[in-house]
Amino acid sequence: MLPSHYRSSGGTDADAAASRRAGALLEARKKYGNKNNPQPLGLILLTASCCLVLLFQLWLSGSSSSGRTNGTLADGVTPSQRRVLAAARRGAGAHLGAASRNEARQFPAPHLRNLVLVACHSVYTGLDFTNSEEKSSWFLLDYQKVPGQTHSFVEHIQLGVREAAADPDSLLLFSGGKTRKDAGPRAEGEGYWLVAEAAKWYGNPQVRDRAFTEDKARDSFENLLFGLCRFYELTGRYPEFIVVVGYDFKQRRFLDLHRAALRLPVEAFRYEGTPALNSAAVQGEEATAAAFEADPYGCHGQLAAKRAQRDPFAAGGYNGDRCPDMAELLTYCGPKVFDGPLPWDGTI
């Protein structure tokens, strides 16, 4: 009797899979190429990758049909063979897969190329968004109940609008989640957007169509991480240049720690800050920066506890369905810098 992985026609499951991939390749060639439309480089690379997959499948079927040896899995494939095959499949599907994803999705702002990211610091709880300077309009923590605190929030909004107005290719993103239970299920980012709306965009109404929110970030790292994912959702690409707006004392955290953890090029990153309002915030920054140095992705200890505390409505974070090329990064928790593929540094 023939082994179970052989078909009655004499072919193996691997042969059948190879035939299906060949058929898919031919269909792709019919769809994207004709004599008046030369094959693009991506399809040429796809063709080469598929050929490698087919050759590997033939070798795999031959080696598996000779019988299992020690170290093989249940289907007769060794772990090393499976890793090589997985890599080949990823390479074969990368170009066509990305094109298919983008073709199926609708991006509200596909023409924008740069990101202006305002890291939010409070939830707006007032009903009148023209009263943005009033303390009663914001949910303030004890250390934030100092003169000028609410004005600093407005200042960040204004600075973000000015930065976006100066760059017509930029997308303005107010980033901050539903972080305070007593404030209700209101996102920080949404409140900042509504304040700008009430102020008629501070004399820059053209920015309105390029202004959006990110409503899940629970700390500064997620401001930047989720901001990148949100930018992709809105544009179908990742930013060529990033400007972050926040407080002066957080510049090192964003520029040297978060940017480095995400492997964003320093030449394409700028931080714009406003002065700190009290010494307690500056003193607390030293401890927070030290925690991110030891735990760059904020997955453990006090950083993880702070995220949990700032998610009272269980909104959670982002996943790979929203920005597929960031799927591995979004779940990464290692102490070392992520070394997998990333869309903004040429490894995808």
Side-chain angles (χ1 to χ4, degrees):
M1 176 179 289
L2 289 174
S4 60
H5 61 272
Y6 271 82
R7 297 181 182 275
S8 60
S9 60
T12 65
D13 289 338
D15 293 334
S19 297
R20 288 194 297 271
R21 290 186 180 86
L25 176 59
L26 290 175
E27 289 299 320
R29 290 174 63 88
K30 291 177 183 177
K31 180 177 181 180
Y32 294 106
N34 55 55
K35 63 183 179 181
N36 296 318
N37 181 22
Q39 301 298 327
L41 178 59
L43 190 54
I44 293 174
L45 293 174
L46 173 63
T47 302
S49 299
C50 285
C51 289
L52 289 175
V53 172
L54 293 175
L55 289 172
F56 185 83
Q57 288 278 22
L58 291 174
W59 167 71
L60 188 62
S61 63
S63 62
S64 62
S65 64
S66 61
R68 298 191 182 116
T69 59
N70 290 336
T72 60
L73 301 179
D75 56 0
V77 182
T78 66
S80 61
Q81 288 173 338
R82 188 175 297 285
R83 286 193 294 271
V84 172
L85 180 57
R89 284 172 175 161
R90 285 197 301 270
H95 299 287
L96 192 57
S100 298
R101 288 196 304 268
N102 285 3
E103 185 178 334
R105 295 178 68 164
Q106 296 295 320
F107 299 104
H111 59 292
L112 300 179
R113 312 181 70 84
N114 303 318
L115 171 63
V116 176
L117 178 72
V118 177
C120 302
H121 292 87
S122 184
V123 177
Y124 196 95
T125 56
L127 299 179
D128 186 346
F129 290 91
T130 63
N131 292 334
S132 57
E133 298 276 356
E134 299 294 329
K135 289 184 179 180
S136 59
S137 295
W138 299 86
F139 185 88
L140 299 176
L141 301 178
D142 289 340
Y143 80 90
Q144 293 177 317
K145 296 176 182 179
V146 296
Q149 182 69 69
T150 57
H151 175 72
S152 73
F153 301 153
V154 176
E155 193 175 13
H156 289 167
I157 299 170
Q158 293 173 327
L159 183 53
V161 171
R162 288 200 302 270
E163 287 285 343
D167 179 8
D169 291 327
S170 68
L171 181 149
L172 175 58
L173 193 66
F174 297 111
S175 171
K178 302 170 184 176
T179 55
R180 307 299 172 189
K181 183 177 181 180
D182 290 342
R186 306 182 184 192
E188 295 176 356
E190 180 184 16
Y192 277 48
W193 192 98
L194 289 170
V195 168
E197 173 81 348
K200 299 182 179 178
W201 300 92
Y202 305 100
N204 297 281
Q206 74 279 11
V207 171
R208 185 183 192 275
D209 290 339
R210 296 187 279 117
F212 298 87
T213 64
E214 183 285 307
D215 61 0
K216 289 183 176 291
R218 298 160 291 188
D219 60 28
S220 57
F221 179 73
E222 289 189 342
N223 284 141
L224 188 53
L225 178 68
F226 294 170
L228 291 166
C229 184
R230 186 76 175 121
F231 187 91
Y232 171 81
E233 284 190 308
L234 294 165
T235 68
R237 59 159 62 94
Y238 292 93
E240 296 177 7
F241 196 93
I242 300 171
V243 177
V244 176
V245 174
Y247 289 109
D248 282 338
F249 67 87
K250 291 187 178 183
Q251 178 169 348
R252 176 178 172 270
R253 192 200 303 187
F254 273 95
L255 188 60
D256 296 342
L257 301 180
H258 299 338
R259 180 202 57 78
L262 298 176
R263 301 203 329 251
L264 292 164
V266 67
E267 65 273 10
F269 194 96
R270 176 162 58 87
Y271 189 89
E272 292 292 332
T274 62
L277 298 175
N278 57 63
S279 58
V282 177
Q283 293 170 357
E285 175 61 17
E286 184 176 345
T288 302
F292 273 113
E293 284 181 329
D295 182 15
Y297 302 90
C299 298
H300 310 287
Q302 63 176 347
L303 295 177
K306 188 178 292 185
R307 279 184 190 165
Q309 182 182 16
R310 291 178 178 176
D311 191 15
F313 301 99
Y318 280 61
N319 58 54
D321 291 339
R322 303 184 70 162
C323 40
D325 291 334
M326 290 179 61
E328 291 185 55
L329 178 64
L330 287 167
T331 59
Y332 182 73
C333 276
K336 295 182 179 180
V337 173
F338 176 74
D339 63 358
L342 289 175
W344 47 82
D345 65 3
T347 56
I348 287 184

